[in-house]
Amino acid sequence: MKILKRFIVIIVPILIVAGYFIIKSVNSNWPVKFNDEFDTFFGNGNWESISKETKESIIYDEYIIVRSAPNLSGNVPGKFNEWSITYMGADNKREMAIISDHTFRINNDKYSFLSKKRYSKKQALTLEFMSVSFSICEDKVMKESIAPYLSEKEMEALTVEISYNGGNPEAEFYDDLIKQEWFNVKDVSAKNYLNYDKHEFFIYIRSYDYKLDKLTDEEKRHIFDSMEKIEKNLLEKYGNNASFEIYIDENHKTEYKDGVKTVN
Protein backbone atom coordinates (compact mmCIF):
# COMPACT_ATOMS: atom_id res chain seq x y z
CA MET A 1 0.00 0.00 0.00
CA LYS A 2 2.84 2.38 0.88
CA ILE A 3 4.52 1.58 -2.44
CA LEU A 4 1.29 2.37 -4.28
CA LYS A 5 0.95 5.70 -2.50
CA ARG A 6 4.55 6.60 -3.32
CA PHE A 7 3.94 5.64 -6.93
CA ILE A 8 0.85 7.87 -7.07
CA VAL A 9 2.68 10.76 -5.42
CA ILE A 10 5.45 10.50 -8.00
CA ILE A 11 3.52 9.68 -11.16
CA VAL A 12 0.56 12.09 -10.81
CA PRO A 13 2.67 15.29 -10.92
CA ILE A 14 4.59 13.85 -13.87
CA LEU A 15 1.35 13.13 -15.72
CA ILE A 16 0.02 16.61 -14.95
CA VAL A 17 3.19 18.27 -16.26
CA ALA A 18 3.26 16.01 -19.33
CA GLY A 19 -0.41 16.73 -20.01
CA TYR A 20 0.20 20.46 -19.74
CA PHE A 21 2.98 20.37 -22.32
CA ILE A 22 0.99 18.12 -24.65
CA ILE A 23 -1.99 20.48 -24.54
CA LYS A 24 0.29 23.47 -25.03
CA SER A 25 1.96 21.81 -27.99
CA VAL A 26 -1.36 20.97 -29.65
CA ASN A 27 -2.77 24.46 -29.06
CA SER A 28 0.26 26.07 -30.67
CA ASN A 29 0.27 23.69 -33.65
CA TRP A 30 -2.51 25.04 -35.86
CA PRO A 31 -2.62 22.21 -38.45
CA VAL A 32 -3.27 19.84 -35.53
CA LYS A 33 -5.52 22.03 -33.40
CA PHE A 34 -7.62 23.12 -36.41
CA ASN A 35 -7.42 19.90 -38.40
CA ASP A 36 -11.14 20.03 -39.29
CA GLU A 37 -10.83 23.62 -40.56
CA PHE A 38 -7.79 22.68 -42.67
CA ASP A 39 -9.74 19.71 -44.08
CA THR A 40 -12.67 21.97 -45.00
CA PHE A 41 -10.55 24.68 -46.62
CA PHE A 42 -7.94 22.57 -48.44
CA GLY A 43 -9.99 19.41 -48.83
CA ASN A 44 -9.95 16.27 -46.70
CA GLY A 45 -6.89 14.24 -47.69
CA ASN A 46 -5.85 16.99 -50.12
CA TRP A 47 -3.29 18.77 -47.94
CA GLU A 48 -0.18 18.08 -45.91
CA SER A 49 1.80 20.15 -43.44
CA ILE A 50 5.37 19.53 -44.55
CA SER A 51 7.32 21.87 -42.27
CA LYS A 52 7.11 24.22 -39.33
CA GLU A 53 9.51 27.08 -38.73
CA THR A 54 9.78 29.45 -35.80
CA LYS A 55 10.88 32.95 -36.75
CA GLU A 56 11.61 36.25 -35.05
CA SER A 57 9.33 39.19 -35.76
CA ILE A 58 10.57 42.64 -36.70
CA ILE A 59 7.14 44.13 -35.93
CA TYR A 60 6.47 43.30 -32.30
CA ASP A 61 8.51 42.58 -29.16
CA GLU A 62 8.04 40.37 -26.16
CA TYR A 63 9.17 41.27 -22.63
CA ILE A 64 11.25 38.51 -21.11
CA ILE A 65 11.72 38.31 -17.33
CA VAL A 66 14.92 36.65 -16.14
CA ARG A 67 14.30 36.11 -12.43
CA SER A 68 17.79 34.86 -11.72
CA ALA A 69 19.31 37.95 -13.35
CA PRO A 70 16.77 40.82 -13.41
CA ASN A 71 19.22 43.11 -15.19
CA LEU A 72 18.98 40.81 -18.22
CA SER A 73 15.19 41.22 -18.46
CA GLY A 74 13.91 43.30 -21.34
CA ASN A 75 12.33 43.36 -24.78
CA VAL A 76 13.31 40.77 -27.36
CA PRO A 77 11.91 40.14 -30.85
CA GLY A 78 8.63 38.27 -30.63
CA LYS A 79 8.52 34.78 -32.09
CA PHE A 80 5.92 33.33 -34.44
CA ASN A 81 5.31 30.09 -36.34
CA GLU A 82 5.03 29.37 -40.05
CA TRP A 83 3.66 26.15 -41.52
CA SER A 84 4.30 25.15 -45.11
CA ILE A 85 1.20 23.46 -46.52
CA THR A 86 1.08 21.61 -49.82
CA TYR A 87 -2.24 20.95 -51.51
CA MET A 88 -3.60 19.92 -54.88
CA GLY A 89 -4.84 23.01 -56.67
CA ALA A 90 -6.39 23.71 -60.04
CA ASP A 91 -5.50 21.46 -62.98
CA ASN A 92 -4.18 18.88 -60.48
CA LYS A 93 -1.10 20.97 -59.81
CA ARG A 94 0.60 20.71 -56.43
CA GLU A 95 0.56 24.14 -54.75
CA MET A 96 2.26 25.58 -51.68
CA ALA A 97 0.68 27.83 -49.05
CA ILE A 98 2.22 29.45 -45.99
CA ILE A 99 0.04 29.63 -42.89
CA SER A 100 1.39 31.80 -40.08
CA ASP A 101 0.33 32.85 -36.59
CA HIS A 102 2.28 36.11 -37.00
CA THR A 103 -0.79 38.31 -37.51
CA PHE A 104 -2.47 36.63 -34.54
CA ARG A 105 0.48 37.39 -32.27
CA ILE A 106 0.78 40.99 -33.48
CA ASN A 107 -2.95 41.54 -33.00
CA ASN A 108 -3.00 39.99 -29.53
CA ASP A 109 0.04 42.02 -28.55
CA LYS A 110 -1.69 45.22 -29.66
CA TYR A 111 -5.20 44.71 -28.26
CA SER A 112 -6.34 43.80 -24.76
CA PHE A 113 -8.25 40.63 -23.95
CA LEU A 114 -11.59 42.51 -23.85
CA SER A 115 -11.07 44.43 -27.10
CA LYS A 116 -13.49 43.68 -29.98
CA LYS A 117 -10.53 44.02 -32.33
CA ARG A 118 -8.63 41.17 -30.70
CA TYR A 119 -8.56 38.01 -32.85
CA SER A 120 -9.18 34.53 -31.60
CA LYS A 121 -6.87 31.87 -33.05
CA LYS A 122 -9.65 30.65 -35.33
CA GLN A 123 -10.36 34.16 -36.61
CA ALA A 124 -6.66 34.72 -37.31
CA LEU A 125 -6.48 31.34 -39.08
CA THR A 126 -9.44 32.34 -41.26
CA LEU A 127 -7.59 35.52 -42.20
CA GLU A 128 -4.65 33.34 -43.26
CA PHE A 129 -6.98 31.17 -45.33
CA MET A 130 -8.44 34.32 -46.90
CA SER A 131 -4.97 35.41 -47.98
CA VAL A 132 -4.43 32.03 -49.64
CA SER A 133 -7.82 32.28 -51.33
CA PHE A 134 -7.00 35.76 -52.66
CA SER A 135 -3.99 34.31 -54.51
CA ILE A 136 -6.19 31.61 -56.02
CA CYS A 137 -8.79 34.19 -57.13
CA GLU A 138 -6.12 36.48 -58.57
CA ASP A 139 -4.76 33.65 -60.72
CA LYS A 140 -8.28 32.91 -61.97
CA VAL A 141 -8.89 36.56 -62.90
CA MET A 142 -5.61 36.67 -64.79
CA LYS A 143 -6.42 33.43 -66.60
CA GLU A 144 -10.09 34.14 -67.37
CA SER A 145 -10.26 37.91 -67.90
CA ILE A 146 -6.79 38.98 -69.06
CA ALA A 147 -5.04 36.03 -70.71
CA PRO A 148 -7.55 35.87 -73.61
CA TYR A 149 -6.45 39.33 -74.77
CA LEU A 150 -2.74 39.66 -73.99
CA SER A 151 0.46 37.80 -74.72
CA GLU A 152 2.34 36.11 -71.89
CA LYS A 153 4.96 38.85 -71.92
CA GLU A 154 2.30 41.57 -71.80
CA MET A 155 0.60 39.82 -68.86
CA GLU A 156 3.88 39.90 -66.95
CA ALA A 157 3.56 43.70 -66.92
CA LEU A 158 0.30 43.47 -64.97
CA THR A 159 -0.51 42.46 -61.42
CA VAL A 160 -3.91 41.35 -60.16
CA GLU A 161 -4.83 41.87 -56.54
CA ILE A 162 -8.06 41.12 -54.73
CA SER A 163 -8.51 42.86 -51.43
CA TYR A 164 -11.06 44.39 -49.13
CA ASN A 165 -11.96 48.03 -49.45
CA GLY A 166 -12.96 50.55 -46.80
CA GLY A 167 -10.69 49.41 -43.98
CA ASN A 168 -9.99 46.11 -42.26
CA PRO A 169 -12.96 43.86 -41.49
CA GLU A 170 -14.04 43.50 -37.87
CA ALA A 171 -12.88 40.39 -36.04
CA GLU A 172 -16.33 38.76 -36.14
CA PHE A 173 -16.30 39.02 -39.94
CA TYR A 174 -14.03 35.97 -40.00
CA ASP A 175 -16.53 33.95 -37.95
CA ASP A 176 -19.00 34.31 -40.81
CA LEU A 177 -16.50 33.92 -43.66
CA ILE A 178 -15.26 30.49 -42.57
CA LYS A 179 -18.87 29.22 -42.64
CA GLN A 180 -19.38 30.07 -46.34
CA GLU A 181 -19.73 26.97 -48.53
CA TRP A 182 -17.56 28.51 -51.25
CA PHE A 183 -14.70 29.34 -48.86
CA ASN A 184 -12.28 26.60 -49.92
CA VAL A 185 -9.48 26.21 -52.45
CA LYS A 186 -11.70 24.36 -54.90
CA ASP A 187 -14.69 26.69 -55.10
CA VAL A 188 -13.48 30.17 -54.17
CA SER A 189 -13.58 32.87 -56.84
CA ALA A 190 -13.47 36.65 -57.17
CA LYS A 191 -17.22 36.53 -57.82
CA ASN A 192 -17.79 35.02 -54.37
CA TYR A 193 -16.02 37.93 -52.72
CA LEU A 194 -17.68 40.60 -54.86
CA ASN A 195 -21.10 39.09 -54.08
CA TYR A 196 -20.34 38.71 -50.37
CA ASP A 197 -22.33 41.32 -48.48
CA LYS A 198 -20.41 41.24 -45.19
CA HIS A 199 -17.65 43.52 -46.52
CA GLU A 200 -16.63 45.42 -49.64
CA PHE A 201 -14.09 43.79 -51.96
CA PHE A 202 -12.30 45.08 -55.05
CA ILE A 203 -10.26 43.66 -57.94
CA TYR A 204 -7.17 45.74 -58.70
CA ILE A 205 -5.40 45.32 -62.05
CA ARG A 206 -2.29 47.46 -62.21
CA SER A 207 1.01 48.01 -63.90
CA TYR A 208 4.08 49.99 -62.90
CA ASP A 209 6.60 51.99 -64.87
CA TYR A 210 9.42 49.51 -64.28
CA LYS A 211 7.28 46.74 -65.76
CA LEU A 212 6.05 48.77 -68.72
CA ASP A 213 9.63 49.79 -69.50
CA LYS A 214 10.41 46.15 -70.30
CA LEU A 215 7.88 46.16 -73.15
CA THR A 216 8.20 47.43 -76.68
CA ASP A 217 6.06 50.35 -77.80
CA GLU A 218 3.92 47.93 -79.78
CA GLU A 219 3.33 45.73 -76.73
CA LYS A 220 2.42 48.74 -74.61
CA ARG A 221 -0.01 49.92 -77.25
CA HIS A 222 -1.59 46.49 -77.37
CA ILE A 223 -2.21 46.59 -73.60
CA PHE A 224 -3.78 50.03 -73.90
CA ASP A 225 -5.97 48.89 -76.77
CA SER A 226 -7.03 45.76 -74.85
CA MET A 227 -8.23 47.63 -71.78
CA GLU A 228 -11.75 48.00 -73.14
CA LYS A 229 -12.00 44.24 -73.79
CA ILE A 230 -10.79 43.41 -70.26
CA GLU A 231 -13.21 45.98 -68.83
CA LYS A 232 -16.11 44.47 -70.78
CA ASN A 233 -15.16 40.96 -69.68
CA LEU A 234 -15.20 41.95 -66.01
CA LEU A 235 -18.54 43.71 -66.33
CA GLU A 236 -20.13 40.72 -68.05
CA LYS A 237 -18.69 38.29 -65.50
CA TYR A 238 -19.59 40.19 -62.32
CA GLY A 239 -22.57 42.31 -63.36
CA ASN A 240 -24.00 44.63 -60.72
CA ASN A 241 -21.35 43.53 -58.25
CA ALA A 242 -18.43 44.39 -60.54
CA SER A 243 -16.05 46.48 -58.43
CA PHE A 244 -12.62 46.85 -59.98
CA GLU A 245 -9.86 49.25 -60.89
CA ILE A 246 -7.63 49.03 -63.95
CA TYR A 247 -4.59 51.30 -63.82
CA ILE A 248 -1.93 51.03 -66.50
CA ASP A 249 -0.72 54.62 -66.31
CA GLU A 250 -2.19 58.04 -65.63
CA ASN A 251 -3.70 58.19 -69.12
CA HIS A 252 -5.03 54.64 -69.14
CA LYS A 253 -7.17 53.89 -66.12
CA THR A 254 -10.75 53.14 -65.19
CA GLU A 255 -12.71 52.16 -62.11
CA TYR A 256 -16.12 50.63 -61.41
CA LYS A 257 -18.00 50.19 -58.16
CA ASP A 258 -20.98 47.83 -58.10
CA GLY A 259 -21.17 47.90 -61.89
CA VAL A 260 -21.13 51.71 -62.13
CA LYS A 261 -18.21 53.56 -63.65
CA THR A 262 -16.61 56.00 -61.22
CA VAL A 263 -13.36 56.92 -63.05
CA ASN A 264 -13.05 57.49 -66.81
Side-chain angles (χ1 to χ4, degrees):
M1 190 69 179
K2 289 182 179 180
I3 295 176
L4 179 59
K5 286 183 177 180
R6 284 182 184 176
F7 177 78
I8 293 174
V9 169
I10 293 172
I11 199 66
V12 168
I14 292 175
L15 291 175
I16 292 174
V17 172
Y20 168 78
F21 282 106
I22 290 173
I23 293 173
K24 183 178 180 180
S25 176
V26 170
N27 281 333
S28 64
N29 191 342
W30 284 10
V32 175
K33 178 178 177 61
F34 296 109
N35 183 264
D36 289 345
E37 286 78 9
F38 274 78
D39 279 348
T40 300
F41 183 73
F42 289 108
N44 191 1
N46 191 49
W47 66 278
E48 181 182 3
S49 178
I50 61 173
S51 68
K52 175 186 175 183
E53 187 175 357
T54 300
K55 296 184 175 182
E56 290 188 347
S57 175
I58 61 173
I59 299 176
Y60 83 102
D61 294 334
E62 295 176 329
Y63 190 81
I64 301 298
I65 298 176
V66 183
R67 299 190 185 281
S68 58
N71 60 308
L72 298 179
S73 299
N75 289 325
V76 298
K79 289 183 170 54
F80 65 95
N81 298 309
E82 275 190 359
W83 295 271
S84 296
I85 308 296
T86 63
Y87 67 96
M88 194 66 71
D91 303 323
N92 290 322
K93 289 177 59 179
R94 180 61 63 178
E95 306 286 353
M96 174 78 77
I98 300 297
I99 301 296
S100 167
D101 63 5
H102 194 201
T103 299
F104 168 74
R105 292 175 182 267
I106 294 170
N107 171 271
N108 279 212
D109 180 70
K110 182 177 181 180
Y111 296 110
S112 68
F113 182 76
L114 297 177
S115 173
K116 292 183 178 180
K117 295 184 178 181
R118 184 181 175 94
Y119 294 150
S120 68
K121 288 183 179 180
K122 188 173 179 180
Q123 289 170 338
L125 174 64
T126 306
L127 189 155
E128 295 291 312
F129 285 165
M130 184 175 71
S131 180
V132 174
S133 73
F134 280 168
S135 296
I136 294 171
C137 294
E138 289 157 6
D139 288 343
K140 288 182 179 179
V141 171
M142 181 68 81
K143 181 178 180 180
E144 297 170 1
S145 299
I146 298 177
Y149 311 110
L150 301 181
S151 69
E152 186 172 337
K153 185 179 178 183
E154 290 164 350
M155 284 192 294
E156 289 176 357
L158 302 180
T159 60
V160 177
E161 179 183 357
I162 295 175
S163 185
Y164 38 77
N165 194 41
N168 296 335
E170 298 295 332
E172 60 266 23
F173 161 86
Y174 300 104
D175 296 329
D176 186 82
L177 178 61
I178 201 168
K179 297 175 185 176
Q180 301 303 308
E181 291 185 0
W182 51 264
F183 189 64
N184 60 75
V185 297
K186 179 182 177 182
D187 299 322
V188 72
S189 69
K191 188 172 186 176
N192 297 138
Y193 279 113
L194 294 179
N195 291 352
Y196 190 40
D197 61 4
K198 298 298 182 181
H199 203 70
E200 186 176 339
F201 290 87
F202 254 70
I203 300 173
Y204 299 94
I205 301 172
R206 296 170 175 147
S207 188
Y208 301 92
D209 290 343
Y210 77 93
K211 289 189 173 185
L212 288 175
D213 289 343
K214 296 178 182 179
L215 302 179
T216 65
D217 290 341
E218 183 178 354
E219 289 167 336
K220 292 178 188 176
R221 193 178 310 110
H222 187 242
I223 291 179
F224 300 150
D225 292 342
S226 300
M227 271 189 60
E228 185 175 347
K229 296 177 182 177
I230 296 171
E231 180 180 332
K232 183 178 179 181
N233 179 292
L234 295 171
L235 288 171
E236 290 177 350
K237 187 177 293 291
Y238 304 122
N240 293 334
N241 292 313
S243 295
F244 62 88
E245 174 192 280
I246 303 176
Y247 183 96
I248 310 301
D249 62 24
E250 193 58 35
N251 297 316
H252 300 87
K253 60 183 179 180
T254 190
E255 181 180 316
Y256 282 79
K257 183 175 181 181
D258 296 329
V260 178
K261 196 167 192 175
T262 57
V263 174
N264 293 320

